[in-house]
């Protein structure tokens, strides 16, 4: 516990700008922030390129919270299974493609709308693959219930 507290203190107290370790600290911090921004942009752009999914700009978080359209027949199937439609969508996504998302219904979304939450944290190549699998899944899911 003591070491954890020391490390937390060090993380929130950066080195002085005129100190010997500041340049390395700044380089590493900037690299992390640039990577997060790059992946956030890639994720929002990739999701917005999928018909039936719309994502706002990701600003200041590690998550996207896109909206999606779910066909009426899929809503009926979800109701039959006694789960919200976006939860059904997320369950199918993880079962069929191994991508874990959180359904928007867990966040008190507006009735009649559907969302999911997904993180920007995977490495670039994994995130690119994830976006392509979400695209395929959503296209197949929409066709199945149209």
């Amino acid at each position: 516990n003591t070491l954890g507290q020391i490390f937390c203190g060090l993380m929130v107290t950066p080195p002085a700008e005129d100190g010997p370790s500041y340049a390395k600290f700044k380089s590493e911090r900037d690299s992390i922030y640039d990577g997060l921004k790059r992946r956030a942009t890639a994720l929002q752009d990739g999701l917005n390129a999928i018909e039936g999914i719309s994502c706002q700009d990701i600003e200041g978080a590690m998550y996207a919270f896109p909206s999606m359209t779910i066909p009426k027949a899929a809503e009926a199937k979800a109701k039959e299974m006694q789960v919200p439609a976006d939860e059904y969508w997320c369950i199918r996504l993880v079962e069929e493609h191994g991508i874990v998302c959180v359904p928007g219904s867990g966040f008190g979304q507006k009735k009649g709308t559907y969302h999911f939450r997904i993180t920007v944290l995977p490495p670039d190549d994994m995130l690119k693959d994830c976006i392509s699998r979400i695209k395929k899944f959503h296209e197949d899911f929409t066709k199945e219930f149209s």
Side-chain angles (χ1 to χ4, degrees):
N1 191 15
T2 302
L3 285 177
Q5 290 177 347
I6 291 169
F7 289 135
C8 283
L10 291 171
M11 288 187 319
V12 298
T13 309
E17 289 188 31
D18 60 350
S21 59
Y22 182 77
K24 181 69 171 166
F25 162 81
K26 184 175 179 342
S27 170
E28 289 182 13
R29 183 198 61 201
D30 292 350
S31 176
I32 290 167
Y33 286 151
D34 291 346
L36 288 170
K37 177 127 178 89
R38 181 183 64 251
R39 291 191 302 276
T41 300
L43 182 59
Q44 74 191 28
D45 292 349
L47 292 172
N48 281 325
I50 301 170
E51 187 173 342
I53 296 180
S54 176
C55 185
Q56 295 178 322
D57 288 350
I58 301 169
E59 297 177 345
M62 295 182 295
Y63 300 101
F65 198 68
S67 62
M68 61 186 157
T69 56
I70 294 182
K72 295 292 181 195
E75 290 177 356
K77 178 67 173 177
K79 187 174 184 176
E80 175 186 313
M81 297 178 65
Q82 300 180 336
V83 296
D86 56 352
E87 184 174 333
Y88 177 62
W89 187 93
C90 288
I91 290 168
R92 292 276 307 266
L93 178 63
V94 73
E95 287 175 347
E96 296 173 24
H97 291 274
I99 299 169
V100 178
C101 297
V102 180
S105 54
F107 296 94
Q109 66 191 2
K110 184 179 174 184
K111 186 175 171 75
T113 65
Y114 301 109
H115 300 81
F116 64 97
R117 186 180 80 169
I118 188 168
T119 186
V120 304
L121 293 178
D124 294 273
D125 57 338
M126 188 181 292
L127 189 62
K128 183 178 179 182
D129 179 56
C130 182
I131 293 165
S132 69
R133 288 189 285 154
I134 291 171
K135 181 178 193 289
K136 175 161 181 28
F137 168 76
H138 192 67
E139 288 171 349
D140 293 347
F141 184 87
T142 301
K143 284 178 191 171
E144 177 183 345
F145 290 102
S146 292

